[in-house]
Structure formats: structure tokens, C-alpha cells
Amino acid sequence: MINPNLIRAFICINLSDEAIKEVARIQSLLNKRFLGKFTELENLHLTLKFLGEIPPEVLEKTKTILSNISFNKFEAHLENIGTFTYQSNPKIIWIKIASKSIYELQKQIDLSLSSLFKTEERFMSHLTIARIKHVPDKEYFNHSLKNISVKRINFPVSSFKLMSSDLRDLGPVYSTIEEYKLK
């Protein structure tokens, strides 16, 4: 049961419209190759840190800490496609977001919040584009995935966001709590 006094929160960066169009193109290439659900284009983001369900007072402390982060704007780009698997079954289709600065920003956020949250054991800069329930033909699926070439779409990163996630039957609804501009 979800506690109504808690806020499900995460920290992320958004993509450019051009990068989102490329993700849409890739999703269309994967259509009918698995049973599952594509991430809605309006929900695409790169999670820098998932905070979980937190009370309002922790949210306020988080906002204060994040407002003190100073980081320069940078560029990132879409790189390659892959999957996360569980017991040799693909479960998540992702696209890597490449930029040395993403790792540096994530680490700065992680260390800044270490008094409130556990630090990440392993951060992988990826964008979840689909969640898989079942792959009827794994060989065909794997062959299809290997033949997808992701266009290198560069996009600027000029801010990061603290977001809330309201889980609903039709999927999550994300709302911006606070946006933090980069220098």
C-alpha cells in the first residue's frame, strides 16, 4: 500500500525533441518483436538518481541540497541500443546516453545527497525505451536489435530536474518538483 504522505521522487535530465524523435524511430523498428510496453515519448528521461518514496521533510532537504550544486552545461548524445536481461530473458530495452559530464554530474548529485540517501553502487547512463514481458522469438528479436543503428543525436544539457512519479493503472505520471539550471 502506498503511503499518501510520501512522495515518489527521482532526479533526471530531459532529452531534446530531436533525440526523442530518434527514440520514436527506434521504437517503431522494434514494433511487434516482443510483448510489453514502450516508454511513452513524453515520459522519456535519463534518471540520475532514484530517491524512492520520501517524506515531505526529506524532499525539502533534498531541494535545498540540489539548489547548491554548481555544474557547467554540457552536451550528451544517443549512442547504442541494448537490453537488461533476467535469467537470459530480455526485460528492458535501453539506449545509452553518452557524455563524461553525465557521470560527473550524477556523482556530484549522489555525493551531495549521501547524508539522506544511499549512494549508487553502479550508475549506467541509459534511457529505458521499453519494458518486456515476453519475447516469442529470441533469435529474431536479438537479430533485429543488432541491426538497429542509433543515430548519434547530440543534445544540450542545461538543467536537471527533481521529479515526482505518481504510479497509475495506465502508467506513471511525472511532474516537475524543481528544475536546477546549470552554469
Side-chain angles (χ1 to χ4, degrees):
M1 176 143 182
I2 296 176
N3 183 332
N5 298 321
L6 299 179
I7 299 107
R8 190 169 195 266
F10 61 94
I11 300 163
C12 71
I13 61 172
N14 288 336
L15 305 165
S16 68
D17 290 343
E18 188 181 8
I20 291 170
K21 284 178 188 166
E22 174 62 4
V23 172
R25 182 188 73 82
I26 291 166
Q27 287 177 334
S28 72
L29 295 173
L30 290 166
N31 199 16
K32 309 228 186 305
R33 294 195 175 33
F34 66 92
L35 301 174
K37 184 176 182 293
F38 287 114
T39 303
E40 296 84 0
L41 297 178
E42 64 272 14
N43 286 344
L44 289 172
H45 63 270
L46 169 63
T47 301
L48 296 172
K49 186 165 185 69
F50 180 70
L51 305 178
E53 294 183 358
I54 59 176
E57 59 275 11
V58 173
L59 180 66
E60 289 307 313
K61 289 177 186 175
T62 300
K63 287 165 61 175
T64 300
I65 291 168
L66 293 177
S67 69
N68 290 316
I69 289 179
S70 177
F71 203 87
N72 291 326
K73 296 175 186 177
F74 59 92
E75 271 211 351
H77 66 270
L78 301 181
E79 198 165 73
N80 59 317
I81 190 168
T83 61
F84 291 135
T85 60
Y86 178 72
Q87 296 179 344
S88 78
N89 292 310
K91 292 295 177 190
I92 301 281
I93 303 172
W94 50 259
I95 294 176
K96 181 175 169 104
I97 306 292
S99 168
K100 183 180 174 203
S101 295
I102 285 176
Y103 289 90
E104 293 168 358
L105 176 60
Q106 190 283 329
K107 187 172 187 170
Q108 188 173 344
I109 289 169
D110 209 22
L111 292 175
S112 296
L113 294 172
S114 63
S115 64
L116 299 174
F117 304 97
K118 185 178 178 232
T119 56
E120 300 293 322
E121 290 178 22
R122 186 178 79 107
F123 171 72
M124 184 189 161
S125 182
H126 74 282
L127 179 68
T128 298
I129 67 165
R131 297 184 186 281
I132 301 171
K133 289 186 179 175
H134 177 68
V135 177
D137 184 342
K138 282 188 198 173
E139 191 174 319
Y140 176 64
F141 173 81
N142 289 330
H143 178 74
S144 297
L145 206 62
K146 284 180 184 155
N147 287 320
I148 292 176
S149 178
V150 178
K151 290 180 190 165
R152 182 187 168 122
I153 305 291
N154 293 312
F155 60 94
V157 178
S158 58
S159 67
F160 64 93
K161 293 182 176 182
L162 175 61
M163 304 283 289
S164 67
S165 173
D166 183 13
L167 300 180
R168 298 189 182 166
D169 291 340
L170 295 174
V173 175
Y174 301 138
S175 303
T176 301
I177 297 170
E178 199 84 40
E179 183 171 6
Y180 303 92
K181 300 286 185 191
L182 302 179
K183 302 186 287 182

